[in-house]
Amino acid sequence: MKKNLLAFLLLAAVFVFATSAVADSYLADRHVQRGLKCAQCHTEKVPSKAPKMDMCLKCHGGSYEELAKATASKNPNPHYTHIGDKECAVCHKGHKAFEFICNDCHQFRGQKTP
Amino acid sequence: MDPEITRRGMMKALVVAAATGTVGSAATAAEAAQRVPATQVYDAIILGAGTAGLVAAVEAYDQGIKPVVLEKMDLPSGNTIYALGSLNACCTRMQKQAGIADSKDELFADMMKISAGQADPTLTRTYVEHIGDDVDWLQDTIGVTFLKLQKLPYPRLGRIHRVDGGSITGGGKLIRLLLAACKKRNIPILYNTKAVELITDKKMAVTGVRALTEDGLVEFMARGGVIIATGGFSANREMLCSYMGGATSRLALRGSPYLTGENISLTKPVFAKLVHLDQFHAGPIVSATHANPADALNSGYGIIVDVRGKRIIDEANTYVAKARALPSLTPENMAYQLVDSSWTAVRKMVDKFTHLNTRFYQDDTVEGLAKKAGLPVEAVVASVKGYNDAVKSGRLKDLNPPCTYKNPFAMDKSPFYAFPFEGGITATFGGPKINANAQVVTWEDRPIKGLYAAGNAAGGLFFSDYIGGSQLGAATVFGRIASRHIAKVCKKNKKV
Ligand SMILES: Cc1cc2nc3c(=O)[nH]c(=O)nc-3n(C[C@H](O)[C@H](O)[C@H](O)COP(=O)(O)OP(=O)(O)OC[C@H]3O[C@@H](n4cnc5c(N)ncnc54)[C@H](O)[C@@H]3O)c2cc1C
């Protein structure tokens, strides 16, 4: 029984790893796959820097307070914290892996890493 | 022709054209000039968006003058956002409502006592005279809610007004409320703007500050004054090492990584009197997760051993003293608080460590505990036995090092626990000395015209230790005082 469970977990882990390791799985790609244009995040003519939070918030709740309500059940809530309302892109990288900056100082676990 | 001169000349022409707005073709330069006005003028220029800076900004505005806050990071990033959020105060509305008997004179005497009699008595007196009104002001004007007052051991007593942070630190909540108060008043807070140099006039009065922005250096000129609210130098290892010595510079950092001593580097060139530079506050910390085991160190139970399993310090010391001494007692700056289940609150500590995914060890025997923690078993067992025997024979004072628990408990109730910790620095106390008006003074004790300091940036009020909650208290008291004085100066100048 235990062995079967372990085998299942290993398989599941491999599966998750395989899907998240495909090259086009970064935040920007996932948005593009949903039909978004580069310009819906990037205001500059040729994209060159991280979009400001106002751009993200246009589609995600309108304000940090509203966004925080959506994740209020998380512990800790990543969108209402003692370090203040950070730019989204410090955690949600566009073309790189998600980076949970809280863990520079803590070791919170169990966050989905979108 | 010297090409350098030509380039410079051309630049000058462009800047002049941009400033006067006469040449349409100089569009890029004009744009740049618009983004970076060479100088900006305000009544009060406040450096740092911590408690002291933001309190000063709100007070300045409410006094009818025009403040600006310059903050070097993208958000308030000092110690306030990490703070528990306690304010040490007497004679507040809350104290009166709770029927707590306290007085300004008693608070004054206790603050002087905890600072080993070395705090500046004038500043301490100023603190106790104002803190009651200022805590009421935080409630009324800023909208802070405090938790119910509790009866705590001396010297905190019924004085600890703790900001209700909800799910975040009390300090983090305080900053959110202060930012909201600034926003309501349309007070400009310029982020990514780092003060790098004070500007003085012919008489060495401070008239403004030069700051580095994303677009280069900008001069901010002050009609009334400049308030330094940039915190201390706990994150500046070079300063820690030179003012306090190598051991202190090896303490872990409990709070902000961005407090790098601009309170000193900005004011030294104008001959500010720098005081208490060797003084700081310390506390235990697990730096990997920022869990704080202070309650275990203050419990009055158990012993502290180093990685060799030996007792290293009199456990009866305060957590402040124990954390402060750790880097000079052990090269690793690392120790273990061992407790048994006689300490009834141990579950709370376990829950806190678990919640923060912080390593701790638990076992039914001392041997098993030492093994799990990776400590030398024989040494740990000997340390616990030595302590227990001494408790029974009443000879704790003969241990090496002695233990002076007034009411000692043997470690005999399983399970046993080991909480690892490092010594950490909370904040530095040293800085430019201020007077009762929050004006920075020279080595000759003369106020420097136009220059103020508040919060952890200011020197004089803190020495040795403080009653928990006095630092946020002082940031509030002297932040308000500085702005009230600047407002007075501005009004006087207008009349002339
Ligand atoms: C873990 C922890 C818990 C604590 N708990 C408590 C408590 O419960 N009660 C209490 O009274 N005290 C507590 N303290 C201490 C308290 O947090 C500080 O004393 C207080 O926050 C200091 O406020 P401040 O306004 O002086 O500075 P800070 O809050 O440190 O703010 C300084 C600001 O200045 C900015 N700055 C620095 N240099 C420049 C520059 N050159 N130009 C522009 N901006 C600059 C910084 O980025 C920062 O935003 C605690 C500290 C720690 C670390």
Side-chain angles (χ1 to χ4, degrees), chain A residues 75 79-87 90 103-109, chain B residues 74-75 81-82 165 167-169 172-173 176 287-290 355-357:
Chain A
N75 189 6
H79 302 132
Y80 181 75
T81 76
H82 70 96
I83 63 166
D85 296 341
K86 284 274 175 195
E87 281 295 339
V90 301
N103 284 355
D104 287 355
C105 300
H106 301 292
Q107 285 175 13
F108 295 120
R109 300 196 195 114
Chain B
D74 59 343
L75 284 172
I81 60 174
Y82 304 101
S167 63
I168 61 174
T169 60
K173 178 71 183 225
R176 282 176 181 269
S287 55
T289 63
H290 283 68
H355 170 64
L356 291 174
N357 295 312

